[in-house]
Amino acid sequence: MMARLFLAVAMCFTATAAYADNITVYSAGSVAIGETRQLTAYVPLSPNTVTWTVNDIPGGNEAVGTVSAKGLYKAPMAVPTNAAVSVKAASTAYAEKFNAVTITVTQPPVQLWSISPSSGGVGTLKISLNGSNFTKDSVVKVGDVALATTYVSPTSLKAVGTATAEQVGKSLGVKVVNAGLGGTVSGSVTYKVTSVTTPPPSDPTTPTPAPTPTPTPTPTPPDPGTGLGTGNLGAARLLEQATFGPTPDSIARVQQLGVTAWLDEQFNKPETPIADPGAMNSGTVKAQYLSRLSMADDQLRQRVAYALGQVIVISMNKNIYPNEIIPYLQILSRNAFGNYRTLLGDISTSAQMGKYLDIAHNTKPGPGGAANENYARELIQLFTIGLMQLNADGSPALDSNGKTVATYDQAMIQQVALVFTGWTYVNNAWEDFSGPMVPRDANHDTRAKAFLGCSLAAGQTTTADLNAALDCIFAHPNVAPFIATRLIRTLVTSNPSPAYVARVAAVFNNNGAGVKGDLKATVRAILTDADARNDQAPTNSGRLRDPTLHLTALVRALNGNIKPANQLSWQMSQIGEEPLTPPSVFGFFSPGYRIPRSTLVGPEFQIYSPTDAVLRGNLFWQAITNPSSDFTVDLSSFTSAGSVGVLIDRVDQALLYGRMPQAMRQSLATSLAAQDAASRVPLALYLTALSGLHAVQY
Amino acid sequence: MTTHHSRRTFLRALGSTASAAALSRLCTTTALAQSASDYKALVCVFLFGGNDSHNMLVPQDTANFAAYRAIRKGLALPDNNTKLLPILARSGGLFALNDGLKTIAPLWGQGQLAAVANVGMLVQPTTREQYLAKTIPVPTNLFSHADQVIEKQAGDPNGSGGTGWGGRIADAVQSRNGAATFPTAFSMSGNALFSTGGVIQSATLYPGFDLSASGMNAWPASASAARVQALQEVLGFDSGLTMVQAANNVRKDALALNQLLKSAGAASPLTTKFPGTNLGRQMEQVAQVLKLRGATGMSRQVFFCSLGGFDTHSNQSWQQWDLLGQVSDAMRALYDATIEMGIADRVTTFTDTDFGRTLEPSGSGSDHGWGGHQLVLGGAVQGGEVYGKFPTPALGGPDDANTRGVLIPTTSLDQYGATFAKWFGVPASGMAQVFPNIGNFPTADIGLFG
């Protein structure tokens, strides 16, 4: 059950040895002044209520920071004398049960984005640095050596030092240290020392002229330039969320039409037909499915159907034959821009779901017995309402003791299970997938049923009971925030703000014409929301691409696709996403999975272990260098680049939409310069695709 | 669920030692200090298809053996393919093992190998009368492969939850692994529900694949070095974005794991030889990870291995003998390797399967059943004993769910698993989170570890 899952999720990692019978608090970390960090206490006690303190002060204070009743720590506006504060959760009932984490309050963290020039000869070294949160206390360091640093602005520093002969050919790590109480250290960027002794330019903001080629054992990397800017970013981000990845043509189309008109165009595209099973085998179904996602013209419909398929799950590990899965795909596609209630009705009477979750042949129980509960439980837990009562913004509704409130219990599931008795396959067959299931009222339990505050009168038909039950469940206030959260997580970001969920849930509840469940309006609300369209990524935004989306994003960026006769099913299974074959009704990954050692939700991380990451990358290398029978890719716009700098520009535009950090440009340039010419295009694409900047849609 | 092994990449481990930098994300000095004194591993060997355990552990007392032969007819052992190896349970019962198990059979007498009788999925203790009258809940979709492999791995009679009991055991003891970030739960046979926790990720390892990335080798060596350097830099930048950093961390872990796996294969390799079978290679990979425990600082790890082919509706005798031989040879090799590493009492290997099979034959095979016997091997196991209640071999008898010898389990999977969980360090207070129905059964410890 997901309740169990959430309890397990709440169990945490901590450096202190905490065992399961005491309170555990997670997680320790640094918080900049004025910023907040949500802490969570895992409390395997009854009652499970806790009080929060900062340095043993209940609720904290302005000097050491405050903590709310729900564990939200807010750092003070100035770094305290002792920057490390202890935030403790103590049981209200058991004096000996408590635990704490150490939070280090820092100044706003200093960040270093780029330096200029990024290489130079022996002798005086003069550089300009761009970043954020620079202060008058900032010191530039090369290794452990501090340079004479001049503060220009919060985003600009200048520094002067010396490059020695011993450093020739080496890449030096340059970083910025904000000294003082609560100081921070930036990440590093590299500065390469060449053998050419260059007189320092009079103004370090002027780029170093390209060094004269000299016969040296270490070639000087070409200046990677500073890129072509982020003019395509807005269009590309929309396409990351609304399609299986931006292509050069689709970026141009969004820019031509604008967001609203592009969405309208997609809503009105003819639905790509999904061929009836015919004599197809199951391998063909999986291959054609992947191919369709990568190349269908109605990309938005494909993406929404894909998202709905992660909520309402059927797996080919049970429904192994084509006719046991294809009609389900047709239902998702047909209803992608329709109404969620209609979708629920189509799914609930489909022979495919009938088999997968045992609605078919679910016969009224005898005295003392119970009907099969599979569908009743998953319909409520996974497809509509979820485990806990939700607020309109998707956050759990808490009772007066601060506890979550279950949406159902076993007795209610047994009532709903009775509703779904009486269904069987067409043609009076043991199994027949040629059409929806049919009711057989003789096998239907006609007793009165009560659940979720609804009452179904005794004596209703199989069909009338099903429709009344779906109406009742669909009317539950959880459905809008629950489905809104699931769709936002799948399309846009794993950790939507409550306000974003609330805005989308409001549209789900009422499309403006008084209709609930309008998926077209809901999708439009998700994709046009200010949070989705914010091209300046906040720290915790984005979502890890699942294997399918990551692969399609790469090949579509290469103006390519997955071929209809591909043989990728086995390789996809090795990276955790065999097409149409999730391991259980919970899908390929749990929607509540948290990134290890983090409070952030990251469902797709559940199937991103080190082996998955390497095999995913190896599949990318195959797509780039040996597309063979599986992929079509077009590398001509990269092979025609001419210079390393232009190549990096084009790779940056195709995969990162102009957001490649300067330091990464330099790393790629250095690496590419050491390769033979033919290797440069695949390597530049590959290294960029391996970066978290491409793995995450943000 | 099926397993495929046709397109694995077989990369041989190359000599290399793990650099301190590569290791730095996977472990800490604190964790290193903890590792020496406290290590335990659980290894699940899942027999896909539904093992016919009536022919794995055969009663030898006169009455039961006569009943067994009368019911199984042509399927009864011994036959032309398969002999029986007599064993004595410490508590006195006479039994025999299928001689496919001949490589681990000696460990019975040495007290390291045990059997657990008639284990299966239950909601609560269930009698024949209750089952036939349908007066109490039973697991959904009994006898269905697709459902039972999920329920057995989930440890849940509805297959609910999206996590497996091995993963939840790992969740419950995660704090013992301190700050080490090396994977806690592994599957050696693809994405597995068993080893997936709520917090713990199931990390897949493919035997022989040491996580070497494509595209990193080039001529000359300076070109290769430049690629490696660039990848490390690309993964090292601080983007300021949590998700991006988390994704980069996974790939950094992969670089470190690649070094570790190479070093495990190269530096003082184990002298124990593993069979070249699919399962043998999975077990060899388990042994490699066990060998790394000192370097990674892990205290608790869970492993999932599997072998398919047990759905023996026909031609069962030879097939099962051959499959059990593969199981036995692989389990024996892992046991010997743990002796070599001095950790035999810290590693427990056990079998599980979809379901048992009918006692009544179906031609030259048998059909889908419910309860079945399992094997448990390890230095900590109080072996040489049949745990649980050995069923009465009788069609329509007290342990039969119908008239074909479908055994109603007398030890629930929850009890079987909770016994391992307790040994592993899961406190009694945490057991209900691992096995939600454990409270329905009279004991959570069937005594395998004394």
Side-chain angles (χ1 to χ4, degrees):
Chain A
M1 294 327 97
M2 204 171 283
R4 206 168 62 226
L5 182 77
F6 282 145
L7 278 175
V9 163
M11 271 190 282
C12 67
F13 306 89
T14 155
T16 59
Y19 294 93
D21 56 350
N22 194 4
I23 290 173
T24 318
V25 183
Y26 71 99
S27 53
S30 298
V31 182
I33 51 174
E35 298 291 316
T36 60
R37 184 180 183 88
Q38 180 66 53
L39 304 176
T40 306
Y42 168 61
V43 188
L45 306 168
S46 182
N48 66 356
T49 44
V50 296
T51 56
W52 290 89
T53 60
V54 183
N55 288 358
D56 292 324
I57 304 162
N61 63 26
E62 286 182 6
V64 296
T66 58
V67 64
S68 76
K70 291 180 178 178
L72 183 69
Y73 174 75
K74 183 167 191 297
M77 297 312 291
V79 179
T81 314
N82 186 350
V85 301
S86 174
V87 184
K88 183 194 288 182
S91 168
T92 54
Y94 307 97
E96 75 281 13
K97 302 291 186 187
F98 59 85
N99 220 320
V101 289
T102 300
I103 298 291
T104 304
V105 180
T106 70
Q107 299 290 348
V110 60
Q111 295 193 314
L112 176 57
W113 297 116
S114 64
I115 63 173
S116 176
S118 56
S119 65
V122 174
T124 304
L125 176 161
K126 270 190 157 181
I127 48 178
S128 291
L129 303 93
N130 290 313
S132 63
N133 293 327
F134 295 155
T135 70
K136 292 185 169 59
D137 292 332
S138 294
V139 176
V140 178
K141 285 191 171 181
V142 174
D144 292 330
V145 179
L147 307 191
T149 304
T150 307
Y151 171 79
V152 180
S153 75
T155 59
S156 177
L157 294 175
K158 293 188 180 186
V160 180
T162 307
T164 65
E166 292 74 40
Q167 291 171 328
V168 168
K170 291 182 177 161
S171 290
L172 309 179
V174 180
K175 62 192 176 192
V176 179
V177 178
N178 276 6
L181 189 58
T184 59
V185 180
S186 74
S188 291
V189 298
T190 53
Y191 180 88
K192 180 104 175 187
V193 181
T194 65
S195 62
V196 184
T197 304
T198 327
S202 55
D203 178 359
T205 57
T206 306
T208 311
T212 314
T214 48
T216 68
T218 315
T220 304
D223 184 340
T226 52
L228 302 177
T230 52
N232 291 338
L233 178 60
R237 283 189 68 257
L238 174 70
L239 292 161
E240 281 190 323
Q241 297 161 0
T243 73
F244 282 84
T247 64
D249 288 349
S250 62
I251 288 173
R253 189 66 177 162
V254 172
Q255 287 173 334
Q256 181 190 351
L257 295 177
V259 173
T260 305
W262 183 85
L263 288 174
D264 286 336
E265 181 177 77
Q266 284 288 318
F267 284 133
N268 291 321
K269 290 246 181 207
E271 183 186 350
T272 299
I274 301 172
D276 284 328
M280 210 180 282
N281 65 41
S282 59
T284 308
V285 174
K286 296 173 186 176
Q288 291 191 352
Y289 176 69
L290 271 188
S291 179
R292 183 168 65 246
L293 300 181
S294 79
M295 64 200 293
D297 196 37
D298 56 342
Q299 278 283 303
L300 180 59
R301 180 184 293 274
Q302 298 295 330
R303 182 72 190 263
V304 172
Y306 183 79
L308 292 169
Q310 295 189 16
V311 179
I312 300 174
V313 173
I314 289 180
S315 173
M316 290 188 78
N317 69 5
K318 181 170 179 181
N319 289 29
I320 57 177
Y321 295 109
N323 64 0
E324 296 172 8
I325 192 86
I326 283 181
Y328 154 76
L329 298 176
Q330 292 168 333
I331 289 169
L332 295 178
S333 174
R334 181 170 79 230
N335 289 289
F337 301 149
N339 190 287
Y340 197 75
R341 169 66 182 82
T342 311
L343 171 62
L344 287 176
D346 287 359
I347 284 288
S348 300
T349 54
S350 73
Q352 290 67 38
M353 188 58 84
K355 171 168 179 150
Y356 189 60
L357 292 180
D358 309 296
I359 313 164
H361 303 311
N362 183 16
T363 298
K364 66 180 174 188
N372 189 300
E373 297 162 7
N374 247 3
Y375 189 66
R377 181 181 297 104
E378 310 306 5
L379 170 68
I380 290 170
Q381 182 185 335
L382 299 177
F383 304 168
T384 54
I385 291 175
L387 289 162
M388 295 177 293
Q389 300 284 2
L390 301 177
N391 296 315
D393 64 5
S395 58
L398 303 177
D399 65 16
S400 54
N401 294 321
K403 287 181 168 178
T404 59
V405 182
T407 53
Y408 64 84
D409 58 18
Q410 178 61 18
M412 193 191 102
I413 292 294
Q414 290 178 346
Q415 287 286 292
V416 179
L418 296 177
V419 170
F420 290 97
T421 55
W423 291 93
T424 190
Y425 296 99
V426 292
N427 299 322
N428 204 19
W430 174 248
E431 282 192 342
D432 188 319
F433 299 96
S434 62
M437 292 183 293
V438 291
R440 185 175 292 167
D441 289 338
N443 291 338
H444 180 60
D445 194 306
T446 56
R447 287 176 288 178
K449 300 149 191 101
F451 49 88
L452 292 173
C454 304
S455 300
L456 274 55
Q460 294 205 106
T461 65
T462 309
T463 304
D465 261 1
L466 179 138
N467 286 330
L470 291 181
D471 286 342
C472 170
I473 292 166
F474 186 65
H476 192 284
N478 263 31
V479 176
F482 183 80
I483 297 299
T485 304
R486 294 295 312 271
L487 292 179
I488 293 170
R489 283 202 175 129
T490 309
L491 299 175
V492 178
T493 182
S494 298
N495 295 278
S497 67
Y500 184 12
V501 173
R503 290 191 291 270
V504 173
V507 174
F508 186 97
N509 273 330
N510 182 348
N511 66 354
V515 176
K516 179 176 184 177
D518 181 341
L519 287 168
K520 184 190 288 187
T522 303
V523 167
R524 186 189 295 279
I526 290 170
L527 295 174
T528 58
D529 192 277
D531 280 12
R533 298 277 53 80
N534 177 8
D535 294 336
Q536 302 299 315
T539 303
N540 293 333
S541 66
R543 59 182 291 277
L544 179 70
R545 288 174 160 138
D546 63 64
T548 302
L549 274 164
H550 202 175
L551 183 63
T552 58
L554 176 67
V555 297
R556 286 173 61 84
L558 307 182
N559 217 4
N561 57 51
I562 297 171
K563 290 181 177 175
N566 70 80
Q567 299 283 322
L568 292 171
S569 181
W570 164 238
Q571 282 164 291
M572 292 304 292
S573 81
Q574 283 199 313
I575 54 177
E577 209 164 58
E578 182 176 0
L580 301 171
T581 316
S584 76
V585 70
F586 281 73
F588 291 105
F589 36 79
S590 164
Y593 185 78
R594 287 174 196 271
I595 298 171
R597 291 161 199 268
S598 162
T599 54
L600 290 185
V601 170
E604 294 81 5
F605 277 92
Q606 195 172 23
I607 55 167
Y608 199 56
S609 75
T611 301
D612 297 308
V614 174
L615 290 174
R616 216 190 262 197
N618 291 357
L619 186 56
F620 294 166
W621 181 251
Q622 179 188 328
I624 295 166
T625 62
N626 184 24
S628 165
S629 57
D630 291 330
F631 304 99
T632 302
V633 295
D634 173 8
L635 303 184
S636 59
S637 66
F638 305 101
T639 52
S640 65
S643 75
V644 163
V646 174
L647 172 60
I648 291 172
D649 284 346
R650 293 183 182 177
V651 170
D652 177 23
Q653 287 299 314
L655 297 181
L656 304 180
Y657 328 126
R659 292 182 292 186
M660 189 181 289
Q662 191 63 29
M664 182 167 165
R665 300 176 68 86
Q666 186 63 63
S667 286
L668 292 185
T670 304
S671 177
L672 296 180
Q675 313 297 323
D676 63 62
S679 300
R680 289 176 185 167
V681 166
L683 187 64
L685 290 166
Y686 179 58
L687 290 173
T688 307
L690 295 186
S691 164
L693 294 167
H694 188 253
V696 173
Q697 152 191 332
Y698 63 95
Chain B
M1 190 173 294
T2 54
T3 56
H4 313 266
H5 303 279
S6 55
R7 292 184 67 181
R8 290 229 167 105
T9 316
F10 297 118
L11 297 181
R12 289 317 309 167
L14 301 170
S16 170
T17 42
S19 70
L23 282 169
S24 63
R25 257 197 58 73
L26 290 184
C27 54
T28 69
T29 45
T30 317
L32 280 168
Q34 295 171 351
S35 66
S37 58
D38 182 25
Y39 182 84
K40 283 181 181 174
L42 278 174
V43 185
C44 174
V45 179
F46 203 92
L47 310 178
F48 279 107
N51 178 38
D52 187 340
S53 56
H54 298 300
N55 277 9
M56 181 175 80
L57 178 68
V58 181
Q60 293 292 287
D61 61 284
T62 310
N64 278 336
F65 189 50
Y68 161 87
R69 290 179 61 164
I71 296 168
R72 292 228 111 179
K73 302 188 179 74
L75 207 55
L77 299 182
D79 65 10
N80 292 336
N81 293 309
T82 307
K83 298 182 182 55
L84 288 175
L85 303 170
I87 53 171
L88 181 66
R90 278 192 284 116
S91 55
L94 291 171
F95 296 91
L97 292 172
N98 185 306
D99 81 333
L101 298 170
K102 58 179 173 290
T103 47
I104 52 170
L107 299 175
W108 183 279
Q110 295 170 29
Q112 311 307 334
L113 176 67
V116 183
N118 196 16
V119 180
M121 213 62 226
L122 288 173
V123 178
Q124 62 188 67
T126 302
T127 66
R128 173 177 169 84
E129 290 68 31
Q130 288 169 324
Y131 177 76
L132 292 175
K134 298 185 177 176
T135 54
I136 61 169
V138 295
T140 56
N141 298 308
L142 290 167
F143 324 121
S144 153
H145 288 295
D147 296 281
Q148 291 306 307
V149 296
I150 290 175
E151 291 181 20
K152 276 294 199 71
Q153 292 187 45
D156 183 294
N158 298 304
S160 292
T163 61
W165 60 271
R168 294 196 301 273
I169 286 176
D171 284 343
V173 299
Q174 177 60 13
S175 57
R176 290 177 184 262
N177 285 326
T181 67
F182 192 80
T184 300
F186 286 93
S187 166
M188 302 302 176
S189 70
N191 207 13
L193 189 59
F194 173 81
S195 40
T196 301
V199 172
I200 292 298
Q201 188 183 44
S202 176
T204 305
L205 283 182
Y206 295 102
F209 177 57
D210 64 7
L211 268 63
S212 290
S214 297
M216 300 312 287
N217 290 320
W219 186 90
S222 60
S224 288
R227 294 179 182 201
V228 172
Q229 172 75 20
L231 179 57
Q232 286 175 345
E233 289 176 8
V234 163
L235 301 178
F237 301 132
D238 184 357
S239 64
L241 298 169
T242 313
M243 291 271 169
V244 173
Q245 296 308 106
N248 280 335
N249 284 343
V250 174
R251 202 170 281 284
K252 280 193 260 183
D253 286 350
L255 292 176
L257 198 47
N258 177 226
Q259 295 294 312
L260 282 169
L261 291 173
K262 284 179 175 177
S263 72
S268 60
L270 291 166
T271 58
T272 303
K273 291 284 175 272
F274 282 80
T277 58
N278 182 329
L279 185 61
R281 292 172 51 79
Q282 294 178 47
M283 291 292 215
E284 186 171 20
Q285 189 76 63
V286 172
Q288 278 203 352
V289 177
L290 294 176
K291 194 158 173 286
L292 290 171
R293 72 196 181 285
T296 60
M298 299 300 286
S299 300
R300 291 290 185 278
Q301 291 184 298
V302 172
F303 299 89
F304 181 81
C305 301
S306 75
L307 178 64
F310 285 88
D311 194 18
T312 49
H313 287 277
S314 59
N315 299 315
Q316 175 175 293
S317 176
W318 184 85
Q319 284 181 51
Q320 193 192 19
W321 177 84
D322 181 65
L323 290 167
L324 290 177
Q326 295 179 44
V327 172
S328 173
D329 292 353
M331 286 176 68
R332 176 72 201 225
L334 182 66
Y335 178 75
D336 288 348
T338 61
I339 295 224
E340 184 183 337
M341 290 185 272
I343 51 170
D345 61 344
R346 291 153 188 266
V347 179
T348 299
T349 305
F350 61 91
T351 62
D352 199 0
T353 186
D354 312 17
F355 38 58
R357 304 187 78 83
T358 56
L359 192 55
E360 183 179 63
S362 165
S364 55
S366 54
D367 289 329
H368 301 179
W370 189 355
H373 317 314
Q374 306 297 344
L375 299 176
V376 185
L377 173 63
V381 175
Q382 303 287 305
E385 179 63 298
V386 177
Y387 290 87
K389 176 179 174 290
F390 197 84
T392 307
L395 300 186
D399 294 314
D400 193 353
N402 49 36
T403 58
R404 297 202 56 203
V406 169
L407 296 177
I408 300 169
T410 40
T411 294
S412 75
L413 178 78
D414 311 57
Q415 295 172 289
Y416 185 58
T419 303
F420 299 127
K422 180 183 175 188
W423 172 73
F424 212 52
V426 177
S429 60
M431 205 62 84
Q433 283 185 27
V434 183
F435 296 101
N437 290 326
I438 190 67
N440 295 349
F441 299 95
T443 174
D445 181 355
I446 59 173
L448 279 163
F449 301 99

